[in-house]
Amino acid sequence: MSLSETSRPKTSAAKTSEVKTRPTVFVDGASGTTGLGINQRLRSQSDVVVKAIAEDKRKDAAAKRALMEEVDLVVLCLPDAAARETVALVESMGAAGPKILDASTAFRVAPDWAYGFPELAPDQADKIMKSRKVANPGCYPTGAVALIRPLVDAGILPVDYPVTVNAVSGYSGGGKSMIENFESGHAPSFELYGLGFEHKHLAEMQVYSNLTHRPIFVPSVGNFRHGMLVSVPLQLDTLKGEPSGADLHAALARRYAGSRYVSVMPSDNPAARSGRLEPEALNDTNRLELYVFASDKYRQAVLVARLDNLGKGASGAAVQNMRLMLGLPEA
C-alpha cells in the first residue's frame, strides 16, 4: 500500500520550496548574551527560519560563507574586529550575500549604514526596511537619543547645548567577565565607570541626537541582571523659548505618537507622584518608556528613559529591525 500524500516523505526539492516561502536568518555569535536573546525571541516567530552553523565550523570562513549564501539576512553578534571581517566576507559575495544586521559598535556611525532605531525620525523605519546594512543601536544611546533628538528637532534644545547623560544598567550589559564577577559575588553593589570620557557609545549618542558637542556621559552598573535607566537633566531657562515641563512632554509625545514600542508616560504617572523610578519594570520586553520630571517652580527638568538593556537595548531591537529588513509585520 502506498503512503498518502500527507505521510509520504518530502523530497529535498519539496522541502526547499516549502522553507523558501519564509525568510531565512543566521545569527552569527548565537552563544553570546545578545545572540541568545535573539534566538529566544525568534522561537516564537513562526514566519522566520533560523539556520545555525556547527560549533566546530564557527570560525571556518568557507563554511560560514556557504551558509550565508543560503540565508536572506545575517545578524552579527560579534566583537567589533570579527564583525568587520564578516562584513568584508559578505561584501565579497556581491549579490549572493545576505542583508546584514550588526549588533557590534563597528558600524554605528558609518555613513553607508542605516541606524537601527526605527523611532529616530518619521522616515527611519523606511530607511531600515530598504537598507542592506543596518547597525543595531547601543542600549545607552537608545535611551539618550530617544529623549534628546525630538527636542533638538523641535528647536527646543540647541544643537550646541552642553548635554549631560547619566545612566545605570544591569550587569548583563558588560559581557561575560562582568556577569561572572557579579554572579560570583566579586563585584561591588554599584559602581560608576567610563570616567575616562572614551565610552564606545558616545559617538552614536552625539551623531543621532544631532548635537555638535560630545555629551558628558556618566554610566554606572548595579547589582541586578538587566534593566536600565537613562537620564538627562536640563535647566529650563537655558533652553530656547524657556519652555515648561509640559512643553518638553508635548514635543516627545508628538514624536512618538502611534509608536508600538515607545511610550511617553503621562505627567500624572505613579513615578511622578512618588518621585521614584526603578530600572527593571520593562525586563523581557521590547518597550521603551520616556518620562518628564519637571519643576516649573525651580525651572528644572530631568528626562528619563526606561528600557531593558537586553530588550529594546539589544535583542528586542535586533528582532524589530530584522523584521523590517525582511518586510515582515511587527510581532
Side-chain angles (χ1 to χ4, degrees):
M1 184 174 67
S2 64
L3 294 172
S4 70
E5 185 63 28
T6 55
S7 60
R8 184 182 296 120
K10 290 185 173 66
T11 65
S12 177
K15 289 180 182 178
T16 300
S17 175
E18 179 183 56
V19 169
K20 287 303 288 182
T21 62
R22 295 180 289 167
T24 51
V25 175
F26 165 44
V27 181
D28 192 3
S31 62
T33 306
T34 299
L36 288 170
I38 291 170
N39 275 327
Q40 181 178 2
R41 284 170 167 79
L42 290 180
R43 289 191 194 105
S44 64
Q45 299 187 12
S46 59
D47 53 356
V48 178
V49 176
V50 181
K51 294 202 170 188
I53 194 167
E55 183 64 23
D56 62 343
K57 299 289 186 181
R58 280 193 315 113
K59 297 185 179 181
D60 184 327
K64 185 185 288 189
R65 180 183 180 116
L67 177 57
M68 289 194 297
E69 286 177 345
E70 298 178 5
V71 301
D72 299 297
L73 184 145
V74 58
V75 185
L76 305 182
C77 302
L78 303 169
D80 286 10
R84 290 189 183 95
E85 290 177 1
T86 302
V87 168
L89 178 60
V90 172
E91 290 178 338
S92 74
M93 295 163 62
K99 293 184 176 182
I100 310 168
L101 175 60
D102 179 37
S104 79
T105 63
F107 300 99
R108 287 189 184 152
V109 295
D112 57 337
W113 286 66
Y115 189 60
F117 182 36
E119 298 84 2
L120 177 69
D123 62 345
Q124 193 65 22
D126 191 56
K127 288 180 180 178
I128 293 166
M129 191 181 305
K130 293 175 179 177
S131 180
R132 294 194 62 80
K133 298 188 293 185
V134 175
N136 211 52
C139 50
Y140 290 127
T142 295
V145 171
L147 294 168
I148 298 166
R149 175 67 177 266
L151 303 185
V152 173
D153 288 351
I156 295 172
L157 192 72
V159 295
D160 60 351
Y161 193 84
V163 171
T164 297
V165 179
N166 304 294
V168 60
S169 174
Y171 59 77
S172 59
K176 183 179 293 185
S177 61
M178 182 176 283
I179 292 171
E180 289 175 352
N181 283 339
F182 272 92
E183 296 189 345
S184 65
H186 292 108
S189 296
F190 178 89
E191 66 178 350
L192 300 179
Y193 70 102
L195 296 175
F197 301 94
E198 295 289 350
H199 195 282
K200 63 183 181 179
H201 287 166
L202 269 164
E204 61 181 298
M205 202 177 286
Q206 177 185 350
V207 168
Y208 297 108
S209 294
N210 274 355
L211 297 172
T212 58
H213 299 316
R214 296 169 88 247
I216 293 177
F217 177 43
V218 186
S220 60
V221 59
N223 194 10
F224 53 96
R225 184 172 177 84
H226 56 125
M228 173 172 283
L229 296 174
V230 181
S231 59
V232 179
L234 297 170
Q235 299 284 351
L236 296 177
D237 290 340
T238 66
L239 304 180
K240 290 182 179 179
E242 299 183 3
S244 65
D247 294 328
L248 303 183
H249 188 279
L252 293 174
R254 282 193 299 271
R255 170 55 55 87
Y256 301 110
S259 173
R260 175 170 182 171
Y261 298 111
V262 181
S263 302
V264 181
M265 306 307 289
S267 300
D268 61 347
N269 65 79
R273 294 194 294 271
S274 68
R276 297 172 180 270
L277 194 63
E278 60 89 12
E280 299 178 89
L282 299 183
N283 283 3
D284 302 314
T285 77
N286 190 45
R287 291 168 54 205
L288 171 64
E289 291 179 346
L290 305 180
Y291 294 80
V292 177
F293 300 94
S295 168
D296 289 332
K297 175 182 177 180
Y298 296 111
R299 302 293 297 153
Q300 294 176 320
V302 177
L303 313 180
V304 184
R306 174 161 65 181
L307 65 156
D308 181 357
N309 61 292
L310 299 183
K312 186 60 170 166
S315 303
V319 172
Q320 182 184 357
N321 286 318
M322 177 209 74
R323 296 187 68 82
L324 281 169
M325 295 174 74
L326 295 174
L328 300 173
E330 290 182 330

